[in-house]
Short mmCIF file of all heavy atoms in Angstrom, two decimals:
data_model
loop_
_atom_site.label_atom_id
_atom_site.label_comp_id
_atom_site.label_asym_id
_atom_site.label_seq_id
_atom_site.Cartn_x
_atom_site.Cartn_y
_atom_site.Cartn_z
N SER A 149 23.40 -94.90 -28.92
CA SER A 149 24.86 -94.78 -29.10
C SER A 149 25.29 -93.66 -29.83
O SER A 149 26.39 -93.01 -29.51
CB SER A 149 25.33 -96.07 -29.97
OG SER A 149 24.97 -97.25 -29.27
N THR A 339 20.17 -101.60 4.56
CA THR A 339 20.16 -103.01 4.18
C THR A 339 21.47 -103.64 4.53
O THR A 339 21.55 -104.87 4.88
CB THR A 339 19.94 -103.16 2.73
OG1 THR A 339 20.97 -102.53 1.94
CG2 THR A 339 18.61 -102.61 2.32
N ALA A 491 30.32 -74.03 16.98
CA ALA A 491 30.51 -73.32 18.24
C ALA A 491 31.64 -74.09 18.92
O ALA A 491 31.73 -75.27 18.88
CB ALA A 491 29.25 -73.27 19.02
N LEU A 810 2.88 -80.14 -19.77
CA LEU A 810 3.04 -81.35 -18.99
C LEU A 810 2.21 -81.12 -17.60
O LEU A 810 2.49 -80.20 -16.96
CB LEU A 810 4.41 -81.52 -18.66
CG LEU A 810 4.83 -82.71 -17.67
CD1 LEU A 810 4.39 -84.10 -18.24
CD2 LEU A 810 6.25 -82.74 -17.28
#
Side-chain angles (χ1 to χ4, degrees):
S149 296
T339 61
L810 174 61

